């Protein structure tokens, strides 16, 4: 694996980043990455920002001492573990067998997140969800207004991924603007007769990319939509009876406009099921909007300059690591099933969520847990993902429009019993 | 000055309290409609004033507002008077309707502006809140005014109800008093801005301390007492004198001084109606004279000015000088004969007395168990040999006793040297029929008759300053009270060589018994009367009953109270069935209450056991289980402090909420969850325990001790934890 392109400065930024976001505390991140071997190396690391430790009044000097693991206080241990952030991310200095794959996956996610956040402001939650979808092999449907930054988001994501496969025609990022007169071949590609070789050559369509932005997917005809969706489901394209497989890292960000419905072909529920998330974006707050205006120039200039990128291989490795190393307790699964059952049994619901959605949800939960620095799935992951995953799969009874209420009601009891189960002896 | 706006609830409550007080205060003064109008008026006035005083104080001038209130009150009163004063309106409405309307208008327009003005002033000058509190206090006092002078069963509305429930009304009255104090204190406190509450509290404490000091110095105010005859009081001093009796003469002077009666110009018999004792007759007995005499002390020794208690031991042996601690036979008591029958009586003293008193004449006295210490100071039983024959059957006896030595004769017949006594007495005998002229009883009755006809009973007299008050009375205006009459009569008897003495105690007319077997002795029954000694009969009361009295006649005793006290003394209820039912209910209730208490105690014990177990188990638990038990112990602690996870809330969110108080709890929760949900990176048990200890310390640093104490004693914190 080639990790040389990871900038050693990255972890510092990362820690700052983590400190700024409320979702993952520094401690969490740190402790999960603090492997037994890397912890020792930490002492020579970059100046640890002990000051950011929110809860402990520990002497800053203690933080850099390697011996602090014997300190009785737990808080001290966290502080001690903080420097470990640095070497874990800059893996090049660590010997290969001792690397914690999950910690590496987390580092990958962190660097992606930091990069995208530097470009897209005020959309932290959407960014996280997109990352979760990316890491759990799902696709995302963004529902928002024109000019709300979805293209920027997709481009930033695409630009953050380095294609380290030498010889293929797959680009990092492609954007497809869907229109009513678009044809399936415009998406998938077309076979062209080459008079020189007297043969047909397949010309790859825009779908052959790591990240595909399918803009206004509801504007195009069902024929194109189904071609697109087949590609999403099967990760392959069939043109002239020839099947071309797409890249393993094939990630679609589709968008649709919620207001301007004239002349559109709304996606049926069955097709929506192919998207892991349907994210309804809301306008960003005033402060963030102001920041967008203020940093417009810098962001354009410094784009992709100073922040590390991740490679395709790293991403795929991270996917596997998360799948293998993030634990899902049986209680969590029970909780999920109970929630799905509750939704189906609810009188206000016409069509509940499918079993497939539950299956899709597991990797998403794992990815979210990893993004939050944990190696286990907890109820807060469920609480965050259930509305995003089940929301567009649930068909409410006529006259009912309180989807959020239905989902919250359905979650309450299973989440409570999940919380109670942890106190029980196993 | 801007006042902090207050909620409407205190204002509303205050208005309710004020209007109820107004209703009580004007209850006696007007028709029901007027009471209702007063209540409504006060309510409206208080609320309006609160609203005005709170919202727009700055715009209104106090003077003009008060003036307006006055004008409204005057106009309203005038209008109310007009309704009954103007014949046209009155005839239009009809007379009754006119009166009612007028009363209602009058009271509304009297109370509403008054209370409005008061409340408004209070908003400007908080000191005036005192007037408000006083008004409410007055209403409470008026409402319970019947409960005084020992009328423990009044007001009847409460007393009767309490008895029918089998509860002693005293407890209820005590509780009501406490409530009233709380109400008043609450009113005073709620009026002020918060920062003045400490000031008020300290003022209240000061007042309470002052009251306590007064009580310590002066003793509790004695609601009842037998006035100037010195019957009641602390028996300790009496006992002391009794003890001195054995030691010899020295202390006896004191004891004689103690129970002495004085001639006074203003005789005040204390609270006339206040009960001082209750007597239960165990046999039916009607005194021949129509009056029950309960003798406490006698005065037989003439000291040159008046009669005092005898200094010698061989006289007045039928008088008990102190409360006995064991059955006491009285040597000097007359024997049972055809003239005297044995009668057992039970006495319960509502007010303590210096000496025991008993129905004339006691033969045996013994202490008994106090049936109701809440009401009776002490109880004793007396076997009396009471006189059964009327005066006419006692005629023909010789005066005094043949056994008496000369000095005892002298003791009982010594009288002032003033010859006028002799003159009057001899003059009276002139009218006596010859066959009775030598009969001592007939002579005494003649004297009695003279005093009855000519004497004027009055509690106010002017003889105390003269050298011989009895002479001043007898040869002067013949106006005095029982002490004067008794002394004058005794001197007259003695001047006729009839042995006599003055006895002090209580005299209760038979009529006030009301057919029941219990006699309630009231402080107004205190009395002094002369007695003469007849051979073979003993001391016979020859009391005086002046036909002319300048004082108001005493009221008949409260039958209800008399019956109640008698029942209490007898320890048996008046209505057998009802009381038995009550008793049974009470027993059942007691048993049920006991059972419930035991059950609660048991539950409490179990709860504490579980609580302590869950708190201590981290010390002994296996390292692999620490994530669970240590976290659980921390949860219990937090729950005891009132910090608990909401239903359906995730543990992480709960930890974030608790974070500001106990930062380590966030870490502890994460440890717990990672261990419980299958994380591979978990801390060892010791670290988890240290984390839990850190949570403990943070809680300790963050919270005041009283909250931690509450948490520690909360027995159900482990149920609340989840």
């Amino acid at each position: 694996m080639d990790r040389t392109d990871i900038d050693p400065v990255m972890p510092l930024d990362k820690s700052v980043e983590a400190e700024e976001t409320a979702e993952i505390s520094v401690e969490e991140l740190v402790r999960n990455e603090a492997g037994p071997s890397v912890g020792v190396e930490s002492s020579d690391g970059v100046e640890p920002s002990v000051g950011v430790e929110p809860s402990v009044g520990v002497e800053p000097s203690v933080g850099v001492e390697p011996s602090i693991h014997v300190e009785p206080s737990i808080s001290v241990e966290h502080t001690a573990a903080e420097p470990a952030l640095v070497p874990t991310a800059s893996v090049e200095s660590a010997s290969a067998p001792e690397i914690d794959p999950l910690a590496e996956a987390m580092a990958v996610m962190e660097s992606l997140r930091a990069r995208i956040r530097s470009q897209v402001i005020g959309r932290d939650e959407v960014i996280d969800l997109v990352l979760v979808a990316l890491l759990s092999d799902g696709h995302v449907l963004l529902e928002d207004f024109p000019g709300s930054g979805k293209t920027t988001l997709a481009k930033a994501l695409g630009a953050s991924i380095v294609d380290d496969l030498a010889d293929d025609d797959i680009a990092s990022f492609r954007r497809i603007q869907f229109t009513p007169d678009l044809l399936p071949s415009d998406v998938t590609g077309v076979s062209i007769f080459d008079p020189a070789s007297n043969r047909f050559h397949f010309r790859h369509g825009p779908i052959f990319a790591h990240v595909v932005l399918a803009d206004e997917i509801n504007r195009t005809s069902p024929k194109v939509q189904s071609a697109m969706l087949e590609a999403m489901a099967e990760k392959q394209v069939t043109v002239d009876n020839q099947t071309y497989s797409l890249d393993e890292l094939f990630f679609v960000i589709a968008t649709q406009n919620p207001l301007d419905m004239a002349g559109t072909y709304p996606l049926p529920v069955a097709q929506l099921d192919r998207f892991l998330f349907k994210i309804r974006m809301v306008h960003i707050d005033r402060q963030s909007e102001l920041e967008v205006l203020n940093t417009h120039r810098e962001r354009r200039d410094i784009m992709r300059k100073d922040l590390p990128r991740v490679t395709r291989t790293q991403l795929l490795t991270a996917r596997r690591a998360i799948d293998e190393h993030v634990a899902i307790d049986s209680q969590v699964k029970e909780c999920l099933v109970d929630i799905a059952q509750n939704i189906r049994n609810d009188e206000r619901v016409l069509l509940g969520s499918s079993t497939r959605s539950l299956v899709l949800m597991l990797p998403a939960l794992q990815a979210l847990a990893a993004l939050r620095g944990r190696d286990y799935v907890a109820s807060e992951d469920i609480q965050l993902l259930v509305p995003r995953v089940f929301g567009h799969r649930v068909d409410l009874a006529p006259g009912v429009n309180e989807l959020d209420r239905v989902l919250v009601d359905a979650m309450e009891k299973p989440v409570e019993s999940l919380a109670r189960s942890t106190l029980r002896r196993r | 000055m801007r006042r902090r706006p207050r909620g409407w609830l205190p204002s509303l409550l205050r208005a309710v309290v004020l209007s109820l007080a107004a209703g009580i205060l004007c209850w006696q003064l007007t028709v029901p409609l007027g009471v209702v109008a007063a209540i409504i008026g006060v309510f409206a006035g208080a609320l309006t004033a609160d609203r005005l005083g709170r919202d727009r104080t700055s715009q209104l001038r106090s003077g003009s507002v008060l003036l307006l209130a006055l004008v409204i009150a005057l106009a309203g009163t005038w209008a109310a008077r007009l309704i009954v004063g103007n014949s046209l309106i009155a005839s239009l409405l009809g007379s009754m309707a006119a009166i009612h309307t007028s009363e209602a208008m009058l009271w509304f327009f009297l109370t509403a502006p008054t209370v409005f003005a008061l409340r408004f002033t209070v908003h400007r000058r908080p000191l005036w809140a005192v007037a408000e509190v006083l008004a409410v206090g007055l209403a409470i006092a008026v409402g319970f005014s019947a409960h005084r002078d020992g009328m423990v069963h009044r007001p009847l509305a409460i007393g009767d109800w309490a008895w029918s429930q089998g509860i002693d009304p005293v407890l209820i009255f005590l509780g009501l008093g406490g409530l009233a104090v709380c109400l008043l204190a609450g009113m005073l406190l709620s009026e002020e801005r918060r920062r003045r509450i400490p000031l008020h509290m300290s003022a209240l404490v000061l007042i309470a301390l002052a009251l306590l000091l007064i009580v310590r110095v002066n003793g509790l105010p004695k609601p009842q007492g037998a006035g100037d005859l010195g019957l009641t009081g602390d028996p300790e001093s009496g006992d002391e004198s009794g003890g001195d009796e054995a030691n010899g003469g020295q202390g006896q002077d004191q004891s004689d001084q103690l129970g002495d009666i004085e001639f006074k110009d203003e005789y005040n018999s204390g609270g006339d109606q206040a009960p001082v004792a209750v007597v239960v007759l165990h046999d039916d007995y009607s005194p021949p004279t129509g009056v029950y005499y309960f003798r406490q002390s006698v005065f037989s020794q003439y000291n040159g000015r008046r009669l005092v208690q005898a200094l010698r031991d061989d006289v007045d042996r039928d008088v008990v000088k102190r409360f006995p601690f064991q059955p006491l036979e009285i040597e000097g008591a007359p024997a049972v004969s055809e003239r005297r029958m044995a009668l057992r009586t039970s006495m319960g003293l509502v007010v303590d007395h210096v000496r025991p008193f008993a129905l004339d004449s006691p033969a045996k006295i013994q202490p008994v168990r106090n049936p109701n210490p809440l009401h009776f100071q002490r109880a004793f039983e007396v076997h009396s040999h009471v006189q059964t024959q009327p005066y006419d059957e006692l005629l023909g006896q010789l005066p005094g006793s043949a056994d008496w030595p000369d000095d005892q004769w002298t003791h009982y017949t010594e009288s002032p040297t003033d010859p006028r006594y002799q003159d009057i007495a001899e003059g009276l005998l002139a009218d006596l029929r010859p066959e009775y002229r030598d009969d001592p009883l007939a002579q005494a009755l003649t004297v009695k008759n003279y005093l009855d006809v000519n004497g004027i009973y009055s509690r106010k007299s002017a003889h105390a300053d003269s050298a011989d008050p009895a002479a001043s009375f007898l040869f002067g205006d013949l106006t005095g009270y029982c002490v004067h009459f008794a002394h004058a009569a005794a001197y007259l008897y003695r001047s006729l060589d009839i042995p006599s003495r003055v006895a002090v105690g209580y005299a209760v007319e038979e009529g006030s018994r009301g057919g029941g077997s219990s006699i309630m002795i009231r402080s107004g029954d205190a009395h002094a009367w002369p007695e003469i000694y007849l051979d073979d009969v003993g001391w016979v009361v020859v009391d005086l009953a002046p036909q002319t009295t300048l004082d108001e006649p005493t009221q008949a005793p409260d039958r209800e109270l008399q019956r109640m006290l008698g029942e209490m003394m007898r320890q048996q209820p008046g209505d057998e069935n009802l009381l038995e039912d009550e008793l049974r209910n009470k027993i059942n209730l007691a048993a049920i209450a006991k059972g419930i208490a035991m059950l609660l105690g048991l539950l409490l014990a179990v709860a504490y056991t579980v609580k302590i177990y869950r708190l201590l188990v981290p010390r002994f638990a296996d390292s692999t289980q620490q994530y669970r038990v240590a976290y659980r112990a921390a949860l219990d602690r937090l729950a005891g402090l009132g910090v608990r996870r909401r239903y359906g809330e995730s543990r992480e969110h709960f930890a974030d909420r608790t974070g500001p108080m106990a930062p380590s709890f966030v870490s502890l929760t994460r440890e717990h969850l990672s261990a419980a949900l299958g994380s591979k990176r978990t801390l060892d048990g010791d670290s988890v325990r240290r984390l839990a200890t850190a949570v403990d310390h943070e809680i300790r640093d963050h919270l005041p001790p009283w909250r931690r104490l509450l948490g520690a004693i909360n027995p159900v914190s482990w149920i609340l934890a989840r």
Side-chain angles (χ1 to χ4, degrees):
Chain A
M1 279 192 290
D2 184 356
R3 297 180 194 91
T4 44
D5 56 347
I6 295 176
D7 193 326
V9 190
M10 187 268 285
L12 234 195
D13 295 326
K14 181 177 112 185
S15 73
V16 171
E17 185 73 39
E19 175 209 348
E20 282 168 353
T21 63
E23 288 156 23
I24 298 179
S25 79
V26 177
E27 295 166 79
E28 254 176 8
L29 200 64
V30 160
R31 199 178 52 74
N32 282 303
E33 292 181 11
S37 59
V38 281
V40 183
E41 295 171 341
S42 64
S43 53
D44 63 346
V46 194
E47 268 299 303
S49 47
V50 182
V52 292
E53 178 64 51
S55 61
V56 266
V58 191
E59 291 287 321
S61 61
V62 180
V64 286
E65 275 175 353
S67 63
I68 16 88
H69 282 287
V70 295
E71 284 286 329
S73 163
I74 284 304
S75 340
V76 171
E77 199 164 26
H78 283 285
T79 322
E82 190 152 18
L85 197 60
V86 180
T88 340
S90 54
V91 257
E92 52 192 342
S93 60
S95 47
E98 291 172 21
I99 297 171
D100 183 351
L102 185 58
E104 204 184 336
M106 288 176 188
V108 167
M109 293 172 91
E110 268 310 317
S111 66
L112 268 180
R113 175 150 81 172
R115 233 187 119 85
I116 300 172
R117 279 189 184 180
S118 74
Q119 294 297 319
V120 183
I121 293 161
R123 295 273 185 216
D124 291 358
E125 193 192 321
V126 177
I127 294 171
D128 283 358
L129 286 174
V130 167
L131 284 181
V132 165
L134 176 67
L135 270 294
S136 58
D137 201 9
H139 305 283
V140 175
L141 176 62
L142 297 178
E143 193 176 75
D144 68 342
F145 310 99
S148 54
K150 49 190 190 277
T151 311
T152 318
L153 172 64
K155 279 170 87 174
L157 178 62
S160 306
I161 300 170
V162 179
D163 186 2
D164 53 353
L165 280 182
D167 47 344
D168 62 357
D169 305 327
I170 294 175
S172 281
F173 173 70
R174 286 272 186 269
R175 171 181 174 160
I176 308 169
Q177 185 68 43
F178 284 93
T179 55
D181 56 352
L182 209 67
L183 293 174
S185 56
D186 293 337
V187 173
T188 56
V190 67
S191 294
I192 292 175
F193 181 73
D194 180 8
S197 61
N198 231 357
R199 290 178 64 184
F200 278 94
H201 282 284
F202 181 68
R203 285 200 53 182
H204 294 285
I207 205 169
F208 288 87
H210 298 315
V211 179
V212 176
L213 172 61
D215 225 351
E216 299 198 77
I217 194 169
N218 58 341
R219 293 226 165 266
T220 193
S221 59
K223 202 159 128 187
V224 183
Q225 280 177 3
S226 58
M228 181 74 198
L229 293 165
E230 187 226 339
M232 283 163 61
E234 313 292 335
K235 282 202 178 167
Q236 63 185 25
V237 192
T238 306
V239 177
D240 292 345
N241 273 339
Q242 277 279 348
T243 299
Y244 305 93
S245 57
L246 295 167
D247 187 59
E248 201 182 344
L249 185 76
F250 172 61
F251 181 61
V252 174
I253 302 177
T255 73
Q256 63 179 18
N257 191 329
L259 287 185
D260 196 8
M261 298 295 282
T264 59
Y265 305 90
L267 295 173
V269 172
Q271 303 222 353
L272 281 176
D273 202 15
R274 307 203 190 276
F275 289 101
L276 178 62
F277 298 133
K278 178 178 164 187
I279 305 167
R280 189 182 297 270
M281 290 167 85
V282 288
H283 288 296
I284 58 178
D285 58 280
R286 183 179 184 277
Q287 193 55 45
S288 305
E289 204 153 33
L290 203 61
E291 204 185 328
V292 168
L293 298 190
N294 286 339
T295 59
H296 171 64
R297 182 185 290 266
E298 296 103 84
R299 280 187 290 124
R300 192 186 56 200
D301 290 346
I302 64 163
M303 183 159 179
R304 287 164 282 177
K305 290 291 187 292
D306 52 350
L307 288 175
R309 304 200 290 173
V310 296
T311 62
R312 170 185 170 279
T313 320
Q314 270 180 313
L315 264 181
L316 294 177
T317 316
R319 267 188 194 175
R320 277 194 297 275
I322 288 170
D323 186 39
E324 281 172 26
H325 296 288
V326 176
I328 301 186
D329 194 77
S330 60
Q331 294 285 346
V332 173
K333 289 174 188 160
E334 274 180 38
C335 175
L336 270 184
V337 172
D338 287 345
I339 292 173
Q341 296 274 355
N342 283 351
I343 293 176
R344 286 174 203 142
N345 293 339
D346 198 313
E347 287 177 348
R348 295 168 289 185
V349 173
L350 214 57
L351 177 67
S353 46
S354 61
T355 310
R356 174 168 60 186
S357 65
L358 287 179
V359 177
L360 283 178
M361 190 141 176
L362 291 183
L365 283 173
Q366 286 172 306
L368 182 61
L371 188 65
R372 287 174 161 178
R374 278 189 265 104
D375 68 339
Y376 61 94
V377 176
S379 53
E380 57 179 355
D381 304 331
I382 296 179
Q383 280 174 323
L384 182 72
L385 286 193
V386 159
R388 273 85 182 176
V389 174
F390 291 164
H392 57 288
R393 293 178 162 92
V394 170
D395 212 3
L396 291 176
V400 181
N401 49 10
E402 42 194 7
L403 178 62
D404 292 343
R405 187 77 246 154
V406 170
L407 293 175
V408 167
D409 288 350
M411 272 192 292
E412 191 178 36
K413 218 174 159 188
V415 167
E416 175 66 23
S417 63
L418 171 63
R420 294 198 176 188
S421 73
T422 61
L423 277 182
R424 256 177 257 136
R425 180 190 283 271
R426 308 272 166 113
Chain B
M1 184 177 64
R2 265 262 156 254
R3 302 183 121 265
R4 194 169 51 80
R6 279 194 301 270
W8 54 272
L9 192 64
S11 168
L12 195 69
L13 285 178
R14 180 181 302 274
V16 168
V17 168
L18 282 177
S19 50
L20 285 180
I24 293 171
L25 280 178
C26 69
W27 184 264
Q28 304 286 339
L29 302 175
T30 178
V31 296
L33 197 64
V35 176
V36 173
I39 289 176
I40 294 173
V42 169
F43 195 76
L47 282 189
T48 317
D50 277 354
R51 205 175 164 70
L52 277 183
R54 198 163 47 214
D55 294 346
R56 293 186 293 255
T57 31
S58 48
Q59 278 95 14
L60 295 168
R61 296 194 64 85
S62 301
S64 49
V65 170
L66 295 184
L67 197 66
L68 184 71
L70 184 67
V71 167
I72 291 175
L74 287 178
T77 318
W78 177 78
R81 286 277 162 254
L82 192 69
I83 291 178
V84 282
N86 188 309
S87 58
L88 183 69
I89 301 175
S91 59
L92 270 178
L93 286 174
S95 55
M96 282 314 287
I99 288 176
H100 279 114
T101 316
S102 163
E103 279 292 307
M105 274 186 71
L106 178 70
W107 282 97
F108 182 85
F109 283 108
L110 275 183
T111 54
T114 313
V115 171
F116 173 81
L118 180 64
R119 285 298 304 157
F120 193 80
T121 322
V122 165
H123 277 290
R124 294 283 167 88
R125 301 239 178 279
L127 192 67
W128 281 89
V130 172
E132 208 175 276
V133 173
L134 282 182
V136 176
L138 185 65
I140 294 170
V142 166
F144 290 99
S145 61
H147 184 78
R148 63 169 193 265
D149 287 346
M151 304 290 184
V152 290
H153 63 308
R154 291 201 169 168
L156 293 173
I158 296 170
D160 286 354
W161 173 84
W163 284 115
S164 73
Q165 300 293 312
I167 310 166
D168 195 324
V170 169
L171 299 176
I172 291 179
F173 284 117
L174 282 176
L176 286 173
L179 273 183
V181 169
C182 290
L183 180 71
L184 294 179
M187 281 186 71
L188 202 56
L189 289 180
S190 70
E191 179 56 50
E192 275 309 322
R193 277 166 295 175
R194 291 270 156 108
R195 64 189 166 86
R196 295 184 71 165
I197 285 181
L199 194 71
H200 283 182
M201 286 306 283
S202 40
L204 280 179
V205 168
L206 270 184
I207 292 172
L209 280 181
L211 276 177
L212 204 66
L213 193 71
I214 291 171
V215 167
R216 288 297 294 179
V217 172
N218 295 345
L220 269 178
K222 286 258 188 293
Q224 312 108 340
D228 294 341
L229 290 182
L231 299 172
T232 57
D234 191 1
E236 289 301 315
S237 47
D239 284 345
E240 197 180 294
S241 73
D244 285 340
E245 212 173 350
N247 297 341
Q250 198 190 353
Q252 203 149 1
D253 286 344
Q254 293 175 348
S255 77
D256 292 337
Q257 294 302 320
L258 181 82
D260 269 355
I261 50 171
E262 295 275 355
F263 291 96
K264 290 198 172 108
D265 287 346
E266 281 267 4
Y267 170 59
N268 176 14
S269 65
D272 276 348
Q273 297 296 309
V276 292
V278 67
V279 182
V280 174
L281 305 178
H282 291 272
D283 276 315
D284 194 29
Y285 167 63
S286 297
T289 53
V291 178
Y292 295 100
Y293 287 97
F294 297 92
R295 189 196 296 129
Q296 190 185 44
S297 315
V298 294
F299 305 92
S300 58
Q301 180 156 339
Y302 182 66
N303 70 351
R305 184 171 184 265
R306 58 190 175 96
L307 292 175
V308 294
Q309 287 186 39
L311 293 173
R312 25 194 301 172
D313 288 337
D314 57 337
V315 295
D316 298 336
R317 294 168 68 98
D318 57 335
V319 176
V320 192
K321 293 208 170 58
R322 59 192 169 110
F323 286 104
F325 298 108
Q326 53 196 23
L328 175 72
E329 301 279 352
I330 296 154
E331 295 168 29
V336 177
S337 61
E338 72 272 16
R339 303 184 200 286
R340 291 186 180 269
M341 64 176 258
L343 176 68
R344 191 160 67 95
T345 52
S346 297
M347 323 273 290
L349 300 192
V350 178
V351 178
D352 217 345
H353 284 65
V354 288
R355 286 177 172 188
F357 53 91
L359 197 59
D360 173 44
S361 167
K364 184 185 175 188
I365 180 166
Q366 63 184 52
V368 293
R369 194 181 63 83
N370 189 343
N372 191 338
L374 201 60
H375 290 286
F376 298 124
Q377 302 290 327
R378 66 172 76 223
F380 56 93
E381 201 174 271
V382 182
H383 294 266
S384 295
H385 296 164
V386 295
Q387 199 180 313
T388 51
Q389 286 181 324
Y391 286 140
D392 50 359
E393 286 179 33
L394 296 173
L395 290 170
Q397 300 293 331
L398 290 174
S401 171
D403 305 336
W404 285 357
D406 282 351
D407 57 341
Q408 198 166 338
W409 266 99
T410 322
H411 177 82
Y412 282 125
T413 54
E414 195 180 5
S415 61
T417 48
D418 194 331
R420 285 180 291 178
Y421 290 106
Q422 189 82 27
D423 293 347
I424 285 192
E426 299 290 346
L428 291 173
L429 292 190
D431 297 341
L432 202 57
R433 286 203 303 217
E435 64 261 38
Y436 296 126
R437 199 159 289 172
D438 291 332
D439 188 275
L441 184 60
Q443 290 173 346
L445 288 175
T446 309
V447 171
K448 165 186 156 62
N449 193 37
Y450 167 75
L451 287 174
D452 281 357
V453 172
N454 297 307
I456 301 167
Y457 187 88
S458 170
R459 291 184 175 178
K460 286 184 182 168
S461 57
H463 310 298
D465 294 334
S466 60
D468 185 352
S472 165
F473 160 76
L474 185 59
F475 312 122
D477 56 4
L478 272 172
T479 302
Y481 64 101
C482 57
V483 177
H484 298 104
F485 278 98
H487 273 83
Y491 292 156
L492 288 175
Y493 300 154
R494 286 184 174 201
S495 67
L496 293 172
D497 272 346
I498 306 167
S500 61
R501 64 184 186 184
V502 171
V504 168
Y506 295 102
V508 183
E509 286 184 27
E510 193 187 356
S512 65
R513 208 179 95 190
S517 63
S518 50
I519 303 168
M520 181 173 70
I521 300 177
R522 295 170 292 164
S523 64
D525 294 328
H527 190 47
W529 62 88
E531 293 179 343
I532 62 172
Y533 194 91
L534 296 179
D535 198 16
D536 235 18
V537 183
W539 290 103
V540 175
V541 179
V542 186
D543 197 10
L544 306 155
Q547 288 166 5
T548 316
T549 172
L550 299 182
D551 294 336
E552 288 175 16
T554 51
Q555 293 172 1
D558 191 309
R559 286 281 153 71
E560 194 72 17
L561 184 60
Q562 176 162 308
R563 191 184 58 82
M564 196 186 90
L565 286 172
E567 280 164 9
M568 235 187 270
M569 189 61 211
R570 225 180 280 119
Q571 290 175 280
Q572 58 182 19
D575 193 332
E576 300 268 335
N577 291 333
L578 179 75
L579 240 296
E580 236 167 58
D581 282 354
E582 293 298 334
L583 229 57
R584 203 178 304 127
N585 281 345
K586 226 168 160 181
I587 288 166
N588 284 347
L589 277 180
I592 291 168
K594 209 185 227 175
I596 291 174
M598 278 177 68
L599 196 68
L600 283 180
L602 193 71
L603 285 178
L604 212 61
V606 170
Y608 275 120
T609 312
V610 174
K611 176 178 173 136
I612 293 169
Y613 167 77
R614 284 173 56 140
L615 283 181
L616 291 186
V617 77
R619 291 166 191 264
F620 317 109
D622 188 54
S623 173
T624 57
Q625 292 298 318
Q626 283 295 347
Y627 80 91
R628 205 166 55 83
V629 289
Y631 177 72
R632 194 176 62 188
L635 277 186
D636 283 4
R637 273 211 184 78
L638 287 169
L641 300 167
V643 183
R644 55 194 293 241
R645 191 171 62 85
R646 285 190 286 267
Y647 185 85
E649 188 182 15
S650 67
R651 295 207 180 280
E652 299 92 327
H653 190 259
F654 172 58
D656 288 342
R657 265 202 307 134
T658 322
M661 188 173 83
S664 297
F665 185 68
V666 181
S667 316
L668 182 65
T669 304
R670 199 173 44 234
E671 280 315 316
H672 165 73
L673 285 179
S674 59
L677 293 176
S679 167
K680 294 181 192 73
R681 303 158 174 173
T682 49
L683 288 178
D684 58 315
D686 285 347
S687 311
V688 173
R689 261 196 68 195
R690 273 199 293 276
L691 211 51
T693 319
V695 172
D696 249 13
H697 288 297
E698 284 158 5
I699 291 174
R700 194 172 308 158
D701 295 343
H702 194 268
L703 286 181
W706 63 269
R707 261 192 86 180
R708 279 186 282 126
L709 180 72
L710 279 183
I713 61 176
N714 184 351
V716 292
S717 57
W718 58 276
I719 299 176
L720 299 175
R722 56 184 179 201

